Amino acid sequence: MKKINGDNPGTIINRFLYFYQCLSDQRKGVNYTCDIFKPTLSMSNLNTFSKTPSRLLCDAFWNSINYENLKLKLNSNLNFFDIGCGSGSYGKFLKKIAGEYFSSYTGLDIYKNHNFPSEFNHINSSADNVNKYIGINTNFVISQSALEHIEKDIFVLEEITNKLIENKKPFVQIHMVPASMCLWLYLWHGYRQYSKKNLSNISNQLKNKFNINLSIVPIGGGNSFWTHLRYITIPVYFKKFILNDKQFKWYNQKIVEEKIIENLKKDINCDKDKPVFWSIVITSKNINIGKDLLKKI
């Protein structure tokens, strides 16, 4: 059966089938055997306006990376390649937080957003073609909430990893993906969410094929989940499907933002059993994910 893309599920029947598809996929794979690294994240200097709990926590993860140390490990300033770059906002964000260690940013997507910054490079293409565009100087491949929209996600990860190894230079990959609990937050979104089991499947396939380090990092926890459900998911779908009123406001934006920040502070240490997102971290063998990747908070 062809997989249903939750971004455009179509009929009511397909919407129900999408849930079955996702719940079934989350049970596939071996028991959770891959390495897990549980960090403490830094919320300092983040833009908290009109962002979901999971996106803020992902930003906190990017904010917690030790870019100075990575520059030393990579023997070069950081050349980012962003899969599913959208508006290119992460180019500006990474340039800010990586500071003097930032060298370049290239975004790849199937369309070019009209807000994409002119200072960065953009490639109009599918992620399936990524190995054609990763350059010899690329040493930091990222994706933010993109792999779930790619039908052949493991194929794309293999293509990226193979290309980076062919370049014969040290590298880092970080892919931020929604956890199983996000099925109930976003309802119809992408092809999948990621469980511990299918993350293990990804880890085993990549490690059996390539000489790499790979760890899974949990992002957020139960407080983030319930805050999103109460202040975003339920109000949005209530006004969309029940009231059919796009102007309806259950809570004002200030209240929502205050509640999100209040509960995010409770999840800053992350919960490996109930995360809202995962970070898939893949590196060349010279980089130790636990010691080299994140700042000491």
Side-chain angles (χ1 to χ4, degrees), residues 21-150:
Q21 170 183 290
C22 289
L23 292 170
S24 176
D25 284 350
Q26 289 168 13
R27 298 179 64 85
K28 292 178 181 176
V30 297
N31 289 329
Y32 190 44
T33 56
C34 55
D35 296 330
I36 187 165
F37 178 72
K38 183 174 172 289
T40 297
L41 305 180
S42 171
M43 288 284 290
S44 63
N45 302 316
L46 290 183
N47 175 14
T48 60
F49 180 71
S50 295
K51 290 191 174 182
T52 64
S54 57
R55 182 54 63 95
L56 280 169
L57 286 163
C58 287
D59 286 357
F61 179 86
W62 295 116
N63 192 47
S64 303
I65 292 173
N66 189 332
Y67 294 100
E68 178 182 9
N69 196 51
L70 281 185
K71 187 259 185 182
L72 297 174
K73 289 291 180 178
L74 296 171
N75 302 317
S76 168
N77 277 346
L78 309 177
N79 294 290
F80 293 95
F81 193 102
D82 187 358
I83 312 295
C85 61
S87 68
S89 60
Y90 273 89
K92 289 187 173 182
F93 180 50
L94 291 166
K95 184 176 181 179
K96 175 184 175 182
I97 60 177
E100 63 186 289
Y101 311 109
F102 178 95
S103 178
S104 68
Y105 171 90
T106 297
L108 178 146
D109 214 319
I110 56 175
Y111 69 97
K112 186 173 183 180
N113 188 290
H114 67 278
N115 290 322
F116 190 88
S118 59
E119 64 184 295
F120 302 135
N121 299 318
H122 186 278
I123 297 167
N124 278 75
S125 186
S126 164
D128 293 346
N129 300 318
V130 65
N131 65 332
K132 298 179 182 177
Y133 302 108
I134 290 178
I136 188 67
N137 293 321
T138 299
N139 55 14
F140 203 146
V141 175
I142 73 167
S143 66
Q144 173 66 59
S145 310
L147 280 186
E148 68 270 24
H149 300 282
I150 300 170

Side-chain angles (χ1 to χ4, degrees), residues 254-270:
K254 184 178 180 181
I255 290 176
V256 173
E257 289 171 12
E258 288 174 352
K259 289 296 180 182
I260 287 174
I261 298 304
E262 175 188 330
N263 284 286
L264 251 59
K265 290 177 180 177
K266 300 174 184 176
D267 280 347
I268 209 69
N269 290 323
C270 303

Side-chain angles (χ1 to χ4, degrees), residues 33 37 41 58 88 175 189 196 212 215 232 239 254 269 279:
T33 56
F37 178 72
L41 305 180
C58 287
H175 303 280
H189 182 80
K196 290 181 179 180
I212 55 170
S215 287
I232 300 175
K239 72 180 183 180
K254 184 178 180 181
N269 290 323
S279 177

